[in-house]
Amino acid sequence: MARRYEVRLAGTGGQGAILAGILLADAAIRDGKNVVQTQSYGPEARGGASRAEVVISDGDIHYPKVLQSDIILCMSQEACDRYGGQIREGGLLILDQDHVSRAPTTRAVRAPLTSLARQATGREIVANVVGLGMLTALTGIVSREAMEAAVRDRAPKGTADLNLKALAVGFAEGERIRREAR
Amino acid sequence: MARRYEVRLAGTGGQGAILAGILLADAAIRDGKNVVQTQSYGPEARGGASRAEVVISDGDIHYPKVLQSDIILCMSQEACDRYGGQIREGGLLILDQDHVSRAPTTRAVRAPLTSLARQATGREIVANVVGLGMLTALTGIVSREAMEAAVRDRAPKGTADLNLKALAVGFAEGERIRREAR
Amino acid sequence: MNETNETTTDQTGQEKEPQAQRRLPRGQVTIFPNWCKGCGLCLEFCPVGVLEQGSDGRVIIAHPEKCTACRWCELHCPDFAIFVTDIEPSPEEEIA
Amino acid sequence: MNETNETTTDQTGQEKEPQAQRRLPRGQVTIFPNWCKGCGLCLEFCPVGVLEQGSDGRVIIAHPEKCTACRWCELHCPDFAIFVTDIEPSPEEEIA
Amino acid sequence: MTTEPSARLMQGDAACAEGAIAAGCYFFAGYPITPATEIAEVLARRLPQVGGRFIQMEDEIASIAAVIGAAVGGAKAMTATSGPGLSLMQENIGYAAMTEIPCVIVDVQRLGPSTGRPTSPSQGDVMAARWGAHGDHPIIALCPSSVRETFDLTVQAFNFAELYRTPVILLLDEVIGHMRERVTLPSPEEIELVERPSTTVPPEWYKPYENFPADVPPLMPFGTGYRYHITGLHHDERGYPTNRSDEVQPWLDRIFRKIERSLSEILLYDADGIENAETLIIAYGATARSARYAVEKARKRGREVGFLALKTLWPFPEEVVEHAAARLHRVVVPEMNMGQIALEVERVIGRHKVRRVNRADGEMIQPAQILAAIEEWA
Amino acid sequence: MTTEPSARLMQGDAACAEGAIAAGCYFFAGYPITPATEIAEVLARRLPQVGGRFIQMEDEIASIAAVIGAAVGGAKAMTATSGPGLSLMQENIGYAAMTEIPCVIVDVQRLGPSTGRPTSPSQGDVMAARWGAHGDHPIIALCPSSVRETFDLTVQAFNFAELYRTPVILLLDEVIGHMRERVTLPSPEEIELVERPSTTVPPEWYKPYENFPADVPPLMPFGTGYRYHITGLHHDERGYPTNRSDEVQPWLDRIFRKIERSLSEILLYDADGIENAETLIIAYGATARSARYAVEKARKRGREVGFLALKTLWPFPEEVVEHAAARLHRVVVPEMNMGQIALEVERVIGRHKVRRVNRADGEMIQPAQILAAIEEWA
Amino acid sequence: MTTKQPFNKVKTPRESRVHERYLRHSKKFPNVWCAGCGIGIVMGSIIRAIDDLQLDKNDIAMISGIGCTGRMPVYVDFNTMHTTHGRALAFATGLKMVRPEMKIIVVMGDGDALAIGGNHFIHAARRNIGLTTIVVNNTTYGMTGGQYSPTTPTDAIASTAPYGHIEQPFPIAELAAVSGAAFVARSTVYHVRELEKYIAQAIEKEGFTVVEAVSYCHTTLGRINRWGTAPDMMRRLKEQSVTRRQADGMSEEEKQGLIVRGVFVDRAVPEYTQLYDHIIERAEAEVA
Amino acid sequence: MTTKQPFNKVKTPRESRVHERYLRHSKKFPNVWCAGCGIGIVMGSIIRAIDDLQLDKNDIAMISGIGCTGRMPVYVDFNTMHTTHGRALAFATGLKMVRPEMKIIVVMGDGDALAIGGNHFIHAARRNIGLTTIVVNNTTYGMTGGQYSPTTPTDAIASTAPYGHIEQPFPIAELAAVSGAAFVARSTVYHVRELEKYIAQAIEKEGFTVVEAVSYCHTTLGRINRWGTAPDMMRRLKEQSVTRRQADGMSEEEKQGLIVRGVFVDRAVPEYTQLYDHIIERAEAEVA
Ligand SMILES: Cc1ncc(C[n+]2csc(CCOP(=O)(O)OP(=O)(O)O)c2C)c(N)n1
Ligand SMILES: Cc1ncc(C[n+]2csc(CCOP(=O)(O)OP(=O)(O)O)c2C)c(N)n1
Ligand code: SF4
Ligand code: SF4
Ligand code: SF4
Ligand code: SF4
Ligand code: SF4
Ligand code: SF4
Ligand SMILES: [Mg+2]
Ligand SMILES: [Mg+2]
């Protein structure tokens, strides 16, 4: 079986975890990869905690859910409490430190996604895309161009620029962290 | 198995075939017999052709429908066309000659039940009970007292006398025919 | 047009004695006995008593000559068992 | 009772300078931050601007002293996260 | 004229209504439908005579809803319908299973599918009774084959409903529902009644969906001081909605367990001649009468025929059937449908042992058809 | 970034909607319900773009009714719902079966019973799809396990509906319906479409329920000059109500026969590794994905595992399963329910060969559970 | 003076023997209804109205639910459909959506239309979809034998109200009006000419239209309440009904128990399928 | 002049912190509703009304169907039941029949009450059974994400009406009135005091009573239509509503799009379960 990458994106309703999952999945397709994105959320169509799961592979993807995450992005404390510990040995845990104070491991990557979003765009709502930028930069699981193309095409009408800006900020932050880690 | 008597009473909706079946069944119980009465009729609860079947026995009655009739009372041509031929060898077929002109056998007993009812009570509606009286007299399948008691108890409110009169007429007519046949 | 109400003119303009005219049938009633269920609506509401109940319960045309072609019966028969045609006086009648 | 509208009497009958009275808090606002979802209803409709949005999105009591105990906020908070008690002037205030 | 004073002529539908009254039914909600209407009509007269309440609702969905509502208020409650109404009730039958509200649903089966032939009998709703509602849940379904059995099983249906906090479906058919038969009803003392179990814990401690110690926690009626929550969402032991999968499966396991562990009480049937049988007949409802007739005829002809008349259809008496058929190679399953209980029989004893006898044209299975199946195979 | 231009990310529900459009669906009526709402939302936008019509009705009963009405007008028509809605639709699904009106009903299964957990997956409606409506009638039910298969089977569902004049139920589950997956849709030329057969006989001779020569008489749309009658009552060949039992059974036999004689076209499945298998896994829907994962893992561990992924659930592929399991003693049937297709598998191959793997708590069956069943038994 | 009929000139008004052109009389008569039932009278009014309007039979559909009234479509030579109890309007809505050019007449009993079917009734009215609904209001469930219906008069005895009925009846016309119907009228089977006229108006009008045809069921509710024969009940309709104009001058008490006949609503509201055509235009423009 | 709060005499009006006595706050908060949703405001009004009336919590049942509004019962410390979509009134009818002494409050969304549940709504009103119905009318299906509902304004965009909505909305209050309700009133979540008053009146009144509480759903329909935040939508309620008295002086055009607040019906009609008591008396007399 081809290598499976399993990504989990989690937050509270309205933080855009699911949109982030869709963007990541879309980018993977642009990179010629196979991908499956699933999700779970609160009552019926709205509200509550929400999470997206993205499985990326070069081959077939049978089981569509995450078995053990390679990458987790947590945008709320609740999400971190619930999923933060389920990362595989050597996996990457990204936390929005504006919302997460306690983490299950010291090896998590922390960044103030929400503040970065606000500073760069004036809108906290794009913190998810900042996170995606970081994730892209830190893992290379999808290419930067694919991610940009995905954001450009899929961002809600009239918000493409805003989101691309957020993505760039995230990407830069990711790059910075990578450099520092080296 | 104890002897089963199978009786079929048939007419068009409104002629009271089913009520006749109930009265006969009730009489059989008063005679200490076992009895099952079933019925079939037109659309949903009302109208259309209707027929009642009564199975009387001293023992258990398993199959509740008529297999081959011992006795048939036909109050309409349609009923006679449909059921008249299904009588067992040696069985009794009673026809209301006011409504039935063609019969499947010459050995049927014919009587002007409707006219008798009208003459005796002024109401054609009790032709069914006239028929029951005849049937009782001709077959003895139930006792006259039981039949009278059934009619007395079960006739629609305020019509007991009317119905008893009709029964008596039918009984007399049956006796007459029996005498003649001897 | 006329001075009294006692006489009227028919459509041909011919003067007629009212009694006679009233007796003259203006509608011809037909019954399909197979469809008639003998409900009694037509006969109970026929304004002039054309119809009666037959011995088999179905309706019969007892007084055809009385029919005024009002068509109450036809319009109300639930079974389309009765209908009425307008009759124009036949030549004989016209000269009667 | 008074000749001008400029001064009023409080319930104790004491005369007061209106400016001062208006500044006097008449309601005490309490917030349960755990229940507040930061919807903004209370702060947008508070007639006197008592409330503001905190950095975590939840509401904070920025100007407690302005509260007139109108209870708009309490009655409209969908999350029962804010309530208001009426304050009777404390002894110090009464003699202030 | 030698009348036994208590013997009387009674219709199946009326026996069902009288059985309900005898069982302590306090509330009936329904919507007319042939051939079940008579049950409503009798209860419209009878219930207020005993202080109970009858209501005709705007449709079948409302009827079963009202029945569940009344049961939550503490009443023994029932509705009655036929196939089309059963289809409409399915969503709320599932609700009753989910919330574990006792109630009785009578389905007097007529010929389907759809409007079919309303005055003709059928046994076409057997599988719909088990599987009609979406999602997984157990159900109890009983099926009488005489007027007296209709009375008895109606009482039993109420008892099971209360004992196991579950909807119970009583499957009559047009033959049984409309048939009048000589019947002697039991006296009130002879009738064993189950009253709804009550709790002794104080209201603050009450858990309407408690997993332990019993599998059937008592259901306290609304208005008695026990304030709690009922929901068709998956819920925790207190009845509050839960999103935790680890609270769902235990609940589901419990509601299946509460039935399974009481199978010996729930599974009702009559068996005879099983021991020496060469051929076994399995039948239920009106068809059991045809079958019994055929069995007696066949025995007269010297055939060793065993007869299993099922009264409990669901849960399906797997062990009973397996045991009865163990030694045999020939099992005949006559049904007024295209083969429904036969599927279960096949599942339990293997497809190739089973000879189905079916008709779904609105006529009873004739004894001759069953006889032919016995002979053909012998 | 090496994008194949036609590959795209698509949600299962959207693929269902696009499949409908590709199949020529002209009319959709529905009522929102999680997790099927997206199908309606996509079609509300898409249908009028292609000249079709969308309506949101007041409930699910009205939705399926409107779909049947539209189909009578000649339109390919569909509705989509989830378990609670399926329960409500049952009466009219039976009507469609009785009147032989082609239509497609999508049920995106969520965790039941009752309201259950609306955003969680389940396969709890498999039996309800077959048996939910009262009375006897056949049904076709298809079940995809990927986004692309959802598209394909939606097209297939319309084709079967028109070919066999029958309601077809498409059983998705929440995983498949809400999942987004890379998918390359077929081009229009690649899609095989069935248009409703038409008659050449003059209107006076037209018999909408003719028994011969074909088992599927053509259904002429209202408004095309063929005036005839449609009824949920049992009817004769012209469609008029009949009380004659000798007209009922032939009709019933025909509607079963029309499906049975086309089993080779209707039964869709994927099989692999059956020949040398020691253990067989039978799965469908989202669970087929868990199973496929487990199968590959088990094979890596050296086990000979056969895999049968069912796409047609009803009619149940008896012969296919019997054949696949003939040599075997171990068949594992994992399902997100308490065991529904397992019942059929048991019926066909015998209870004792079957190992059920079930969960009905709103979580997918995990590959490890299936693996364990394989190992445990090996 | 004897009538020699063969020599008379016989004038058959066009509408006379109208059934020969509109009924499937060959196979399907006599009909299932009880002798004297008003449903057949309504059927007559409908076919005469259609004849007046000179519509093509191929363009007409008649759809019903279940009940005695629901049996009507089988007799008429249109595109006919006998659906499930209460759902006729929902079936008809689907047909209308895909065949907007057809004239669709939905006939229902009071139970069919307003008990189990009440929701579809108010929603079809709200949508103002182009269907003509004819409710034969015999104030009971005839088919199942005289149970109380949503229009049974308070205090009547019914087979499920042996001690007297305690519910208020729906005012059908008013309910349709408040729900949004474009045309609403009420008449009775006694007033056949008026009924026919209202039915013709309703069929012609675009949008959702309702004609309540008050009838009776002498064999069930009538019998239980000892209201007499079909002619007796017909007489009651005549005596107990007034026109809207007559009713306007009456107090609420005076109106109690009376059937008010007339047109209650006749307004211009855009019809649903026509509005939907605009949606298609907009959508097609969007993709173009 | 600084406020030394500890020394002030603090007066908590009885109704303040009323949630502490009526809500199951311990386990069930925060609630599921989106920030700023009006459903919580209606819940507040209901418990304050109940507090006003000094009812015993054991005698109160709150029953709902499915929807965001349908989630209300889980929070309140009464006998509570969350039923199936649209059927709450039918469940409540059964409960009322066997527990006539209880005060039963049925809370439903506009879809729950009037789409799938429309029939039960008009029939409960016709029967005049003693239930208090509170319809939280946010003019959409909130729970499923902003589809059009029976009260969505014509021309609004909804997730299932991407090209604009072409149906007329139901006038809930008028529909309840014509169906037979004993008391009908309408207010909004802006006018909480009024709402609370109407709810109290509705609970006290015997018979079927309806309070329509106009709300909004900013996260679904509001977002799709760019109607702004919860406060923005709250402002619209304030600006777009008038009292019945104000409306009386207006033309139909002027009233278009306005929310008319007030009591629409308040009449004496005998309540169903009380009438049924007489049936029982009659029946018991018959057998005695
Ligand atoms: C779902 C369903 N419920 C109940 C019935 C039984 N049923 C048949 S007709 C009818 C009512 C008939 O009353 P109405 O609609 O007023 O028509 P009428 O016979 O009076 O013309 C009922 C309840 C049915 N066929 N289907
Ligand atoms: C039988 C059934 N159909 C559909 C649904 C899906 N559903 C849940 S809530 C809802 C509508 C909610 O709208 P409304 O009643 O107005 O309540 P709100 O959420 O707006 O308060 C729907 C359609 C369901 N749960 N059950
Ligand atoms: S109205 Fe018609 S059916 Fe009735 S008696 Fe007259 S002709 Fe016969
Ligand atoms: S047309 Fe008028 S007058 Fe002539 S028979 Fe008919 S009802 Fe009588
Ligand atoms: S109204 Fe309530 S929830 Fe909203 S911001 Fe104010 S305190 Fe918080
Ligand atoms: S009580 Fe009135 S003044 Fe005080 S904070 Fe609340 S809204 Fe503002
Ligand atoms: S039962 Fe009543 S409504 Fe039905 S046909 Fe007879 S008279 Fe007419
Ligand atoms: S979706 Fe709308 S109605 Fe539901 S909680 Fe959110 S704002 Fe309220
Ligand atoms: Mg009626
Ligand atoms: Mg709503």
PDB file of all heavy atoms in Angstrom, chain E residues 290-305:
ATOM      1  N   SER E 290     -56.116 -22.814   9.003  1.00  0.00           N
ATOM      2  CA  SER E 290     -56.073 -23.673   7.816  1.00  0.00           C
ATOM      3  C   SER E 290     -55.107 -24.824   8.065  1.00  0.00           C
ATOM      4  O   SER E 290     -55.366 -25.977   7.709  1.00  0.00           O
ATOM      5  CB  SER E 290     -55.572 -22.885   6.601  1.00  0.00           C
ATOM      6  OG  SER E 290     -56.315 -21.713   6.410  1.00  0.00           O
ATOM      7  N   ALA E 291     -53.979 -24.464   8.689  1.00  0.00           N
ATOM      8  CA  ALA E 291     -52.939 -25.453   8.914  1.00  0.00           C
ATOM      9  C   ALA E 291     -53.420 -26.538   9.866  1.00  0.00           C
ATOM     10  O   ALA E 291     -53.235 -27.735   9.624  1.00  0.00           O
ATOM     11  CB  ALA E 291     -51.685 -24.772   9.455  1.00  0.00           C
ATOM     12  N   ARG E 292     -54.073 -26.133  10.914  1.00  0.00           N
ATOM     13  CA  ARG E 292     -54.561 -27.101  11.894  1.00  0.00           C
ATOM     14  C   ARG E 292     -55.547 -28.076  11.229  1.00  0.00           C
ATOM     15  O   ARG E 292     -55.520 -29.287  11.471  1.00  0.00           O
ATOM     16  CB  ARG E 292     -55.214 -26.335  13.052  1.00  0.00           C
ATOM     17  CG  ARG E 292     -56.107 -27.107  13.964  1.00  0.00           C
ATOM     18  CD  ARG E 292     -55.373 -28.002  14.935  1.00  0.00           C
ATOM     19  NE  ARG E 292     -54.515 -27.257  15.851  1.00  0.00           N
ATOM     20  CZ  ARG E 292     -53.597 -27.834  16.628  1.00  0.00           C
ATOM     21  NH1 ARG E 292     -53.409 -29.143  16.559  1.00  0.00           N
ATOM     22  NH2 ARG E 292     -52.865 -27.108  17.440  1.00  0.00           N
ATOM     23  N   TYR E 293     -56.385 -27.501  10.379  1.00  0.00           N
ATOM     24  CA  TYR E 293     -57.356 -28.328   9.661  1.00  0.00           C
ATOM     25  C   TYR E 293     -56.620 -29.345   8.789  1.00  0.00           C
ATOM     26  O   TYR E 293     -56.939 -30.534   8.792  1.00  0.00           O
ATOM     27  CB  TYR E 293     -58.237 -27.411   8.811  1.00  0.00           C
ATOM     28  CG  TYR E 293     -59.407 -28.078   8.130  1.00  0.00           C
ATOM     29  CD1 TYR E 293     -60.680 -28.010   8.685  1.00  0.00           C
ATOM     30  CD2 TYR E 293     -59.254 -28.751   6.929  1.00  0.00           C
ATOM     31  CE1 TYR E 293     -61.771 -28.611   8.060  1.00  0.00           C
ATOM     32  CE2 TYR E 293     -60.329 -29.359   6.294  1.00  0.00           C
ATOM     33  CZ  TYR E 293     -61.593 -29.282   6.866  1.00  0.00           C
ATOM     34  OH  TYR E 293     -62.651 -29.863   6.242  1.00  0.00           O
ATOM     35  N   ALA E 294     -55.611 -28.832   8.085  1.00  0.00           N
ATOM     36  CA  ALA E 294     -54.855 -29.708   7.188  1.00  0.00           C
ATOM     37  C   ALA E 294     -54.092 -30.770   7.978  1.00  0.00           C
ATOM     38  O   ALA E 294     -54.021 -31.936   7.574  1.00  0.00           O
ATOM     39  CB  ALA E 294     -53.884 -28.872   6.353  1.00  0.00           C
ATOM     40  N   VAL E 295     -53.554 -30.364   9.107  1.00  0.00           N
ATOM     41  CA  VAL E 295     -52.793 -31.298   9.937  1.00  0.00           C
ATOM     42  C   VAL E 295     -53.692 -32.454  10.373  1.00  0.00           C
ATOM     43  O   VAL E 295     -53.324 -33.635  10.273  1.00  0.00           O
ATOM     44  CB  VAL E 295     -52.201 -30.569  11.166  1.00  0.00           C
ATOM     45  CG1 VAL E 295     -51.756 -31.561  12.229  1.00  0.00           C
ATOM     46  CG2 VAL E 295     -51.047 -29.659  10.746  1.00  0.00           C
ATOM     47  N   GLU E 296     -54.891 -32.125  10.796  1.00  0.00           N
ATOM     48  CA  GLU E 296     -55.770 -33.195  11.253  1.00  0.00           C
ATOM     49  C   GLU E 296     -56.149 -34.124  10.107  1.00  0.00           C
ATOM     50  O   GLU E 296     -56.206 -35.342  10.270  1.00  0.00           O
ATOM     51  CB  GLU E 296     -57.009 -32.606  11.941  1.00  0.00           C
ATOM     52  CG  GLU E 296     -56.599 -31.748  13.135  1.00  0.00           C
ATOM     53  CD  GLU E 296     -57.643 -31.685  14.250  1.00  0.00           C
ATOM     54  OE1 GLU E 296     -58.794 -32.080  14.019  1.00  0.00           O
ATOM     55  OE2 GLU E 296     -57.275 -31.220  15.356  1.00  0.00           O
ATOM     56  N   LYS E 297     -56.405 -33.527   8.949  1.00  0.00           N
ATOM     57  CA  LYS E 297     -56.718 -34.339   7.769  1.00  0.00           C
ATOM     58  C   LYS E 297     -55.543 -35.258   7.426  1.00  0.00           C
ATOM     59  O   LYS E 297     -55.736 -36.451   7.168  1.00  0.00           O
ATOM     60  CB  LYS E 297     -56.994 -33.420   6.561  1.00  0.00           C
ATOM     61  CG  LYS E 297     -58.438 -33.000   6.395  1.00  0.00           C
ATOM     62  CD  LYS E 297     -59.094 -33.878   5.341  1.00  0.00           C
ATOM     63  CE  LYS E 297     -60.595 -33.792   5.203  1.00  0.00           C
ATOM     64  NZ  LYS E 297     -61.417 -32.886   5.887  1.00  0.00           N
ATOM     65  N   ALA E 298     -54.345 -34.694   7.453  1.00  0.00           N
ATOM     66  CA  ALA E 298     -53.156 -35.461   7.066  1.00  0.00           C
ATOM     67  C   ALA E 298     -52.909 -36.590   8.061  1.00  0.00           C
ATOM     68  O   ALA E 298     -52.558 -37.715   7.681  1.00  0.00           O
ATOM     69  CB  ALA E 298     -51.941 -34.545   6.991  1.00  0.00           C
ATOM     70  N   ARG E 299     -53.098 -36.304   9.330  1.00  0.00           N
ATOM     71  CA  ARG E 299     -52.906 -37.357  10.329  1.00  0.00           C
ATOM     72  C   ARG E 299     -53.903 -38.471  10.106  1.00  0.00           C
ATOM     73  O   ARG E 299     -53.574 -39.648  10.247  1.00  0.00           O
ATOM     74  CB  ARG E 299     -53.061 -36.779  11.738  1.00  0.00           C
ATOM     75  CG  ARG E 299     -51.862 -35.935  12.132  1.00  0.00           C
ATOM     76  CD  ARG E 299     -52.015 -35.372  13.534  1.00  0.00           C
ATOM     77  NE  ARG E 299     -50.889 -34.493  13.848  1.00  0.00           N
ATOM     78  CZ  ARG E 299     -50.914 -33.580  14.807  1.00  0.00           C
ATOM     79  NH1 ARG E 299     -52.000 -33.411  15.549  1.00  0.00           N
ATOM     80  NH2 ARG E 299     -49.849 -32.839  15.028  1.00  0.00           N
ATOM     81  N   LYS E 300     -55.134 -38.089   9.760  1.00  0.00           N
ATOM     82  CA  LYS E 300     -56.131 -39.117   9.451  1.00  0.00           C
ATOM     83  C   LYS E 300     -55.647 -40.012   8.319  1.00  0.00           C
ATOM     84  O   LYS E 300     -55.934 -41.188   8.280  1.00  0.00           O
ATOM     85  CB  LYS E 300     -57.447 -38.460   9.038  1.00  0.00           C
ATOM     86  CG  LYS E 300     -58.274 -37.985  10.193  1.00  0.00           C
ATOM     87  CD  LYS E 300     -59.752 -38.377  10.020  1.00  0.00           C
ATOM     88  CE  LYS E 300     -60.555 -37.924  11.220  1.00  0.00           C
ATOM     89  NZ  LYS E 300     -61.237 -36.653  10.959  1.00  0.00           N
ATOM     90  N   ARG E 301     -54.924 -39.395   7.393  1.00  0.00           N
ATOM     91  CA  ARG E 301     -54.405 -40.184   6.274  1.00  0.00           C
ATOM     92  C   ARG E 301     -53.123 -40.915   6.640  1.00  0.00           C
ATOM     93  O   ARG E 301     -52.436 -41.443   5.799  1.00  0.00           O
ATOM     94  CB  ARG E 301     -54.119 -39.273   5.078  1.00  0.00           C
ATOM     95  CG  ARG E 301     -55.363 -38.638   4.488  1.00  0.00           C
ATOM     96  CD  ARG E 301     -55.017 -37.883   3.218  1.00  0.00           C
ATOM     97  NE  ARG E 301     -56.074 -36.951   2.878  1.00  0.00           N
ATOM     98  CZ  ARG E 301     -55.960 -36.015   1.942  1.00  0.00           C
ATOM     99  NH1 ARG E 301     -54.828 -35.894   1.268  1.00  0.00           N
ATOM    100  NH2 ARG E 301     -56.954 -35.203   1.688  1.00  0.00           N
ATOM    101  N   GLY E 302     -52.785 -40.814   7.924  1.00  0.00           N
ATOM    102  CA  GLY E 302     -51.659 -41.606   8.390  1.00  0.00           C
ATOM    103  C   GLY E 302     -50.314 -40.910   8.353  1.00  0.00           C
ATOM    104  O   GLY E 302     -49.278 -41.504   8.616  1.00  0.00           O
ATOM    105  N   ARG E 303     -50.308 -39.654   8.056  1.00  0.00           N
ATOM    106  CA  ARG E 303     -49.036 -38.938   8.021  1.00  0.00           C
ATOM    107  C   ARG E 303     -48.645 -38.465   9.425  1.00  0.00           C
ATOM    108  O   ARG E 303     -49.490 -38.032  10.195  1.00  0.00           O
ATOM    109  CB  ARG E 303     -49.141 -37.703   7.127  1.00  0.00           C
ATOM    110  CG  ARG E 303     -49.650 -37.987   5.756  1.00  0.00           C
ATOM    111  CD  ARG E 303     -48.573 -37.688   4.718  1.00  0.00           C
ATOM    112  NE  ARG E 303     -48.963 -38.218   3.422  1.00  0.00           N
ATOM    113  CZ  ARG E 303     -48.478 -39.331   2.902  1.00  0.00           C
ATOM    114  NH1 ARG E 303     -47.566 -40.043   3.531  1.00  0.00           N
ATOM    115  NH2 ARG E 303     -48.888 -39.756   1.719  1.00  0.00           N
ATOM    116  N   GLU E 304     -47.378 -38.501   9.695  1.00  0.00           N
ATOM    117  CA  GLU E 304     -46.894 -37.975  10.970  1.00  0.00           C
ATOM    118  C   GLU E 304     -46.551 -36.501  10.770  1.00  0.00           C
ATOM    119  O   GLU E 304     -45.510 -36.166  10.229  1.00  0.00           O
ATOM    120  CB  GLU E 304     -45.636 -38.726  11.417  1.00  0.00           C
ATOM    121  CG  GLU E 304     -45.846 -40.187  11.716  1.00  0.00           C
ATOM    122  CD  GLU E 304     -46.497 -40.434  13.089  1.00  0.00           C
ATOM    123  OE1 GLU E 304     -46.852 -39.438  13.764  1.00  0.00           O
ATOM    124  OE2 GLU E 304     -46.647 -41.615  13.464  1.00  0.00           O
ATOM    125  N   VAL E 305     -47.457 -35.666  11.182  1.00  0.00           N
ATOM    126  CA  VAL E 305     -47.260 -34.242  10.939  1.00  0.00           C
ATOM    127  C   VAL E 305     -47.176 -33.506  12.268  1.00  0.00           C
ATOM    128  O   VAL E 305     -48.040 -33.664  13.129  1.00  0.00           O
ATOM    129  CB  VAL E 305     -48.417 -33.659  10.100  1.00  0.00           C
ATOM    130  CG1 VAL E 305     -48.171 -32.193   9.810  1.00  0.00           C
ATOM    131  CG2 VAL E 305     -48.591 -34.433   8.813  1.00  0.00           C
TER     132      VAL E 305
END
